[in-house]
Every structure is written in C-alpha cells, then in structure tokens.
Amino acid sequence: MARLQNQSPVPNGWLTITILFLILHNSVPVRPEDEGQHEKKLGLQFTGSSFKVALFADLHFGENAWSDWGPDHDLSSVKVMSTILNVEKPDFVVYLGDVVTANNFLTHNASLYWDQAISPTRARNIPWATLFGNHDDTHFEWPIEWFSSSGIPQILCPSANASGGDGCSFRGTTRLELTMNELRRNPGLSYTGFGPQSLWPSVSNYVHTILSPKSDHKLPVMIMYFLDSGGGSYPGVISTIQSEWFHNKSQELNPDSSIPEIVFWHIPSQAYKKVAKKAAAGEIQCAGSMFEEGVAPQDAEMGMMKLLKERPSVKAIFVGHNHGLDWCCPYEKMWLCYARHTGYGGYGTWPRGARILEITDDPFSLKSWIRMENGTIHSEVVLST
C-alpha cells in the first residue's frame, strides 16, 4: 500500500538527468524461451546452531522518483536494512512484497529500483527470495503536479526497438520481467522462483526447504512456501488454482505433515480480519506493538486458508501490506503474523524495522521477534507448538 504525495512542480533538469540514467541502465530482456524456467537450487543450509530469516516488507523503492524526498527515502530504507543485517546476521532474507512502487516510475524499467532494494543483502553475500505485492507491477500514474502552470517536464524516451512499438511506454514492468532480471543478475544468491506457467498471472509461487545441520544435511527441518497474492495488474487474491498447486506440492513434499511448514505472501487473507476483531475484543492474546489500522485483506478467499487449517504442520503465515500492523495472533492451530514496515516509502511514519525468524533443530523450535531500525527488539513470540 502506498500513497502518491503532493509535490511542488518538478525541475526539468533534474528530471531529465534521472530519466537518462534510468534509460541507460543495463536492462536484461526477457526471452520467450526463458519463461517458466529457473535454476533449481539445493535446500538452504544451517551455518550455525540455528537458521535465521529476516523479513523486509513494503520497501516501496522508486516512490516519487522525480522529487528529492523519494531518493532520500530509498537511502533511508537501505540504512534500515543495513542496520538489521549487521546486527542480526541472518542466513536468509525474504522480501515480502511491494519492493517497489511501480506506479511512480517514469519508465517501464523497474529493475533499477529492484536492484537498489536488494543491494544491502547482496552486498553481504546473503541469499534471498522475493515475492510480489500489489505495487510491484502497477502502471504509471501521471502526477497532477506535472500539469501545473510551469508546464509538463520534458521526458526523453529511448528509441523504439527493432520490433517496433512505443519506446516511451509507461505500462509498468511485468512480474515475469522483474523475476527474470533478478535471477539473471544474481544467479548465486537469488532463490526467487516464478512457479508453473499454469498459475500465471501469479508468478512468485515456489518452495524452499531448510535442511538439517546434522552431518548428512539431507533431512528437511522446515519447508517454506512462497505465494503471489496478486494486486497491481490483477485482483488481490490467491486463486483456486494456486490453492490446488499448494495442496499437490505439500502432499508431494510432506505427505504425512511431519515436517513443520511456514507460508509467505503479501496481502493478508480474510482470516486476518477475523483475528483482528477477536484481538480487539480481548478474546485472544497477540504479540506485537502496532495495532494502528484495520486489516486490508485480499479481495476474496479462494480456499487457501481452508487447506492451511487442515494441515497440522503449518506453523505460521507471514504477510505485509498493512504498514501500521506488526502483530502475531493465534488462529486455529497456527499463527497469523505481520512483518514490520521496513521501507521509508509508502504511507505511515511509524518507526521502521523487520520481523526476524529463528529456526532450531533437535528439538525443533520457531521463534520470532521484531528488530527495529534503532537496534532494539520487541514482540518476541514462540510460534512452534
């Protein structure tokens, strides 16, 4: 979720330089033969006594890129991530959607901002995975400030490519393009997947396992599922066919539900709204520090929560989207959790931070807390039962 801020008329010189930089940035084209393909990676390995995951949610890079405060906010977001990575030293990072605010871009090349968002993690040689939110592939929205008395700022467009077409398109970069560009530029560190073609237009649907620290390194300690909850170029929903894919995949990987499982997506399900009402009424006890807004759920429920409720192995679901919520609340036999708003882009002025997960083996445990940009921690909770 993000808001387009009111700004003063844009200086043409600054805008022209910015657009030229974006145009000249090395963009890797997507070839049709690459669709549906990505490198299969081995399971994630423990490097110590536990496996730690940092969740970065709602960074909104590239927001108001034509003004001064947009790039300043991106720099502040880099500082937040850098602080958390330096203190927590996670083994893995999950970018939990709304990595960029595509409706603010002056060109279709969102990968420049996408690269900036993952740069603190890449610089530390930490593997990561991304999934999509409702702003990552939205179409450009013309700012009203551009139509002031000072005139519309000059836009320099690249030449149309050999196949023809408009070289100054504002259509937005597609989910598939963003994922392919990320994978090509980061073949050793990006664990992002784009799932079966049958699930499109949803793209970020894939699975990773965390393997045992024991000598054989083959036994899964936990399975992590990543799902595209839509929004942006299509409705915000986890579709019936995605639910079927999850059911089939979980039966294949974990038929007896003996391996703990967690799930990541961006837009909260309708169940989050039900849980929030129970928490407000004092019927359940939640862990968190921010209960500052109402839940903005998916457009519809297509059966995913029913499947998750029926799997005793599912310990928790993690979402972003609502910047003013950071709680974990019990639901059925699992936990419904928000991450913490990490980026300075998007709405809200609450202090930034990130949710941290810590997985241990023998015996298994799943713990979580929130690490703030000032280095403090709060809202510690045990999510394993």
Side-chain angles (χ1 to χ4, degrees), residues 153-167:
Q154 181 183 10
I155 299 177
L156 302 180
C157 301
S159 300
N161 57 36
S163 61
D166 182 5

Side-chain angles (χ1 to χ4, degrees), residues 75-91:
L75 181 59
S76 295
S77 298
V78 167
K79 291 178 180 177
V80 174
M81 290 186 283
S82 297
T83 296
I84 291 167
L85 293 172
N86 289 343
V87 173
E88 292 288 354
K89 296 178 172 56
D91 300 283

Side-chain angles (χ1 to χ4, degrees), residues 83-304:
T83 296
I84 291 167
L85 293 172
N86 289 343
V87 173
E88 292 288 354
K89 296 178 172 56
D91 300 283
F92 195 66
V93 171
V94 175
Y95 287 84
L96 207 54
D98 281 1
V99 178
V100 297
T101 301
N103 45 293
N104 278 191
F105 297 152
L106 300 175
T107 131
H108 65 276
N109 185 15
S111 290
L112 168 66
Y113 298 109
W114 201 271
D115 286 348
Q116 291 176 350
I118 62 179
S119 63
T121 305
R122 179 176 54 219
R124 290 161 177 80
N125 209 39
I126 301 170
W128 73 84
T130 62
L131 54 79
F132 289 109
N134 55 299
H135 279 276
D136 291 312
D137 72 341
T138 50
H139 288 192
F140 180 76
E141 298 175 5
W142 294 94
I144 191 66
E145 296 81 21
W146 285 24
F147 302 92
S148 66
S149 58
S150 63
I152 300 174
Q154 181 183 10
I155 299 177
L156 302 180
C157 301
S159 300
N161 57 36
S163 61
D166 182 5
C168 200
S169 170
F170 294 94
R171 60 175 175 78
T173 303
T174 68
R175 280 163 149 80
L176 181 60
E177 287 174 308
L178 286 167
T179 301
M180 288 302 305
N181 287 343
E182 177 190 326
L183 287 168
R184 287 177 182 151
R185 293 169 181 172
N186 306 280
L189 289 173
S190 173
Y191 277 66
T192 298
F194 47 86
Q197 186 172 345
S198 61
L199 304 185
W200 295 354
S202 69
V203 172
S204 51
N205 304 286
Y206 54 98
V207 186
H208 285 303
T209 57
I210 302 174
L211 300 180
S212 170
K214 297 173 184 176
S215 58
D216 57 12
H217 292 291
K218 294 180 180 179
L219 299 174
V221 174
M222 173 174 279
I223 302 174
M224 302 187 296
Y225 297 89
F226 300 78
L227 290 165
D228 188 337
S229 57
S233 61
Y234 69 98
V237 66
I238 294 176
S239 67
T240 299
I241 195 169
Q242 284 174 279
S243 300
E244 292 174 355
W245 171 84
F246 168 80
H247 174 72
N248 293 335
K249 183 62 68 173
S250 60
Q251 288 299 312
E252 172 192 338
L253 298 175
N254 195 15
D256 58 359
S257 295
S258 61
I259 305 168
E261 300 168 316
I262 57 176
V263 188
F264 303 102
W265 66 68
H266 180 71
I267 306 175
S269 68
Q270 299 283 340
Y272 276 75
K273 199 167 186 178
K274 297 175 183 177
V275 163
K277 289 181 180 179
K278 290 185 177 182
E283 298 175 15
I284 56 175
Q285 186 67 39
C286 302
S289 68
M290 284 204 307
F291 299 80
E292 300 294 332
E293 59 177 322
V295 173
Q298 296 168 8
D299 295 337
E301 175 62 62
M302 300 290 185
M304 188 65 194

Side-chain angles (χ1 to χ4, degrees), residues 28-104:
V28 182
V30 176
R31 298 173 301 181
E33 61 267 27
D34 291 328
E35 293 184 4
Q37 303 295 321
H38 73 284
E39 180 185 357
K40 290 185 178 180
K41 295 181 182 292
L42 300 175
L44 295 158
Q45 300 279 358
F46 275 67
T47 58
S49 60
S50 66
F51 190 92
K52 194 179 290 186
V53 181
L55 308 185
F56 292 151
D58 298 277
L59 294 167
H60 289 283
F61 269 68
E63 192 163 290
N64 280 57
W66 57 84
S67 67
D68 290 333
W69 71 259
D72 286 345
H73 279 186
D74 291 349
L75 181 59
S76 295
S77 298
V78 167
K79 291 178 180 177
V80 174
M81 290 186 283
S82 297
T83 296
I84 291 167
L85 293 172
N86 289 343
V87 173
E88 292 288 354
K89 296 178 172 56
D91 300 283
F92 195 66
V93 171
V94 175
Y95 287 84
L96 207 54
D98 281 1
V99 178
V100 297
T101 301
N103 45 293
N104 278 191

